Amino acid sequence: MPTLKPFRAMRYNPEIAGDYSELVAPPYDIIYDEWRERLYDRNPYNIIRLIKAKDEPGDGENPNKYKRASDYIESWIEKGVLRYEDKPSIYVRSDTYTLGNETKTRYGFIALLRIEQFGNNVHPHERTLSGPKVDRLNLVKATRTNLSQIFSIFKDPGDTVYRLLLNKTTELPPEIEFEDEQGIIRRMWVVNDEDFIAGIKGRLRDRDIIIADGHHRYETALAYKELMEKNRTSDDEPFDYVSMYFSSADAPGMTILPTHRKVLGLESFDEDTFFRKLDDRYKIEPVGKISVDDLLNRIHIDSEKNNIFGFCTASGLRIARIKNPEVPKQLDVDILHNDIIEKRLGITREDIAAGRYLHFSKSPEHCIDDVSAGKDQMGIFLNAIRSEELFRRVLDGDRMPQKSTYFYPKTLSGLAMYKIDRRSF
């Protein structure tokens, strides 16, 4: 069974550091250089200096960005910028956001999870890349801190966990509340009530935990635990745990968006030849000059029963659908990668892991713009995976291709940090 634990989070002191809206940042892996500069300028204590610090001239084994992150943490603790929670707590979270014409609120909570190998209670849902794991391990070794949470989901029959969280948020005022730069209202409640904590732990005792976002960080936690085994003095060490955000996949505020694909740098690519290759299995339909929203709406129609994709090339937009879909249909992302990307485009898994020929984008508009500007050869648009499809596939023991999902909105770094030592217990 998954083992959860409350902890004394290391958190910003707003009286010294400033407003939380100036201090937090999105996950490191979606922060591009210009965004990083804005976060650096926003506040001298912004967590960007820890999660994605800049390289500086003269960096090597020491000094380097990882050592600077460690030095910042110790300095900020001494100055009172960072302080520990008084009692071990669970940190209830809500994110209120608008997507299209609908406003939703996702509820979840932050706690420690006892680290275990994949496949028992904790399950990955997609393949990972090697580079980010090396970077994250270097950061954890230097700082001995989980600076952000892994995002996980679980099934919640009867909405028992959801209702427990909802009730608690009506009992207490949030300790943190602000609107971030995307217009999302972020709230957090610090809860050390023993009955509430026992209720949360008991309700997740028999649940499968699926990592939604943060696979590299979980694999980093496994690697760090292995490194620290030589220092073990008990069967309950701080390095046995990792900081995690938990949210119900069944709750009304859960949103899964697709991550689209961009093809670039293929010397042999010719769009006419490519679409002829698809003709044996797919019905290809040119759609002329329609809006991005119209394209996405059209590939969504019948997507429960069929595998349907959108394509953008220099000559325009097309829709491709399987002529004879299986029942039940295969996952769109499997068809796309196994049949179209690997078999017909010739882009291997090794190429993708190395960042060659295939890039990922959350924004369909960016895909179209980059093809129009000649930066990319083709954009490929997918439908979002459904949570029931995700659980069915993952609990069978299979990983999906990288960037198969985009859980929206992203969790924030900087709300509750886990210092991997006994001060946190």
Side-chain angles (χ1 to χ4, degrees):
M1 66 182 69
T3 301
L4 275 63
K5 190 181 187 77
F7 69 109
R8 296 177 61 221
M10 187 172 66
R11 298 200 293 121
Y12 282 110
N13 177 0
E15 293 180 1
I16 297 175
D19 190 81
Y20 264 91
S21 63
E22 300 176 352
L23 301 168
V24 295
Y28 76 97
D29 57 342
I30 67 168
I31 301 173
Y32 48 86
D33 289 345
E34 182 184 346
W35 199 351
R36 178 168 65 175
E37 290 297 330
R38 294 204 309 269
L39 292 168
Y40 258 83
D41 293 340
R42 187 166 295 166
N43 187 298
Y45 302 120
N46 189 286
I47 199 168
I48 190 65
R49 287 169 172 78
L50 310 182
I51 63 171
K52 195 170 184 176
K54 299 176 185 177
D55 291 306
E56 294 184 3
D59 276 359
E61 188 170 328
N62 188 13
N64 56 44
K65 60 185 178 183
Y66 309 112
K67 178 63 167 59
R68 279 192 295 279
S70 177
D71 291 344
Y72 276 131
I73 291 173
E74 296 309 314
S75 170
W76 294 353
I77 291 174
E78 288 179 11
K79 293 177 180 179
V81 172
L82 295 174
R83 60 187 179 184
Y84 286 89
E85 198 63 51
D86 292 336
K87 296 179 180 180
S89 303
I90 280 178
Y91 305 86
V92 177
R93 292 272 298 101
S94 77
D95 303 292
T96 300
Y97 60 98
T98 299
L99 201 61
N101 296 318
E102 187 177 8
T103 297
K104 299 181 177 182
T105 299
R106 185 183 68 209
Y107 291 89
F109 66 92
I110 297 168
L112 300 184
L113 176 76
R114 190 175 180 92
I115 299 164
E116 58 180 71
Q117 293 294 329
F118 286 135
N120 295 319
N121 304 295
V122 180
H123 309 270
H125 85 265
E126 62 186 24
R127 303 169 198 143
T128 56
L129 307 172
S130 59
K133 285 182 279 190
V134 174
D135 170 62
R136 293 300 96 179
L137 182 58
N138 286 336
L139 183 61
V140 172
K141 286 193 298 184
T143 63
R144 299 192 175 195
T145 307
N146 292 162
L147 298 164
S148 55
Q149 282 71 49
I150 295 161
F151 184 163
S152 70
I153 57 174
F154 57 91
K155 300 296 284 184
D156 187 22
D159 290 334
T160 59
V161 177
Y162 174 70
R163 285 188 280 108
L164 194 62
L165 297 176
L166 201 59
N167 290 341
K168 184 57 67 175
T169 62
T170 60
E171 292 175 11
L172 301 170
E175 187 155 328
I176 296 173
E177 181 173 9
F178 63 91
E179 182 175 342
D180 71 11
E181 61 186 307
Q182 296 175 285
I184 300 167
I185 306 298
R186 310 282 191 167
R187 299 182 179 93
M188 190 169 84
W189 293 258
V190 179
V191 185
N192 52 49
D193 176 79
E194 292 183 2
D195 290 339
F196 173 81
I197 292 172
I200 289 288
K201 293 168 71 173
R203 285 166 173 78
L204 265 74
R205 184 173 291 122
D206 300 319
R207 301 286 191 264
D208 287 292
I209 306 298
I210 291 180
I211 294 177
D213 201 1
H215 292 77
H216 296 112
R217 280 168 279 163
Y218 193 86
E219 292 178 355
T220 294
L222 285 166
Y224 183 70
K225 179 186 175 190
E226 185 176 344
L227 282 174
M228 295 298 290
E229 284 294 340
K230 61 183 181 295
N231 299 320
R232 180 178 293 280
T233 59
S234 75
D235 61 0
D236 196 44
E237 294 285 350
F239 56 77
D240 286 323
Y241 295 88
V242 68
S243 180
M244 187 169 283
Y245 168 80
F246 302 82
S247 189
S248 166
D250 305 310
M254 180 63 64
T255 294
I256 308 176
L257 300 175
T259 300
H260 308 293
R261 273 58 177 159
K262 303 194 298 179
V263 176
L264 69 164
L266 282 178
E267 292 184 7
S268 60
F269 180 76
D270 176 81
E271 62 177 272
D272 290 335
T273 302
F274 168 70
F275 286 114
R276 281 198 299 271
K277 287 182 180 179
L278 296 186
D279 214 24
D280 62 327
R281 191 180 183 189
Y282 302 85
K283 179 182 177 182
I284 309 299
E285 176 191 358
V287 293
K289 294 183 178 181
I290 61 175
S291 70
V292 174
D293 287 342
D294 284 344
L295 176 67
L296 297 180
N297 287 336
R298 290 179 67 167
I299 69 171
H300 184 69
I301 297 171
D302 294 331
S303 61
E304 290 188 19
K305 299 178 181 179
N306 202 343
N307 305 102
I308 308 171
F309 308 98
F311 292 89
C312 173
T313 61
S315 65
L317 301 174
R318 295 174 175 83
I319 291 173
R321 64 186 70 233
I322 295 274
K323 293 178 180 177
N324 298 297
E326 296 182 10
V327 180
K329 74 163 194 174
Q330 295 185 49
L331 291 183
D332 291 343
V333 73
D334 284 339
I335 293 286
L336 176 62
H337 275 256
N338 296 338
D339 188 40
I340 296 176
I341 290 174
E342 294 181 24
K343 180 180 176 182
R344 298 168 192 266
L345 284 173
I347 300 173
T348 66
R349 292 186 182 184
E350 292 73 22
D351 289 329
I352 296 169
R356 294 189 294 265
Y357 310 127
L358 192 73
H359 289 177
F360 305 92
S361 177
K362 310 298 188 297
S363 168
E365 290 85 1
H366 287 172
C367 292
I368 290 176
D369 289 346
D370 288 345
V371 169
S372 298
K375 295 179 181 178
D376 298 320
Q377 294 164 311
M378 180 164 62
I380 308 175
F381 308 101
L382 295 86
N383 286 297
I385 191 171
R386 297 170 176 84
S387 65
E388 59 270 21
E389 293 177 316
L390 175 63
F391 272 81
R392 184 170 61 247
R393 170 63 181 277
V394 171
L395 296 183
D396 282 342
D398 292 330
R399 290 202 195 194
M400 295 183 288
Q402 295 98 331
K403 306 295 182 183
S404 294
T405 56
Y406 178 31
F407 288 82
Y408 183 84
K410 295 282 190 177
T411 57
L412 291 177
S413 302
L415 291 171
M417 293 165 262
Y418 171 46
K419 191 70 173 169
I420 310 173
D421 61 34
R422 293 204 176 274
R423 288 175 289 181
S424 300
F425 285 4

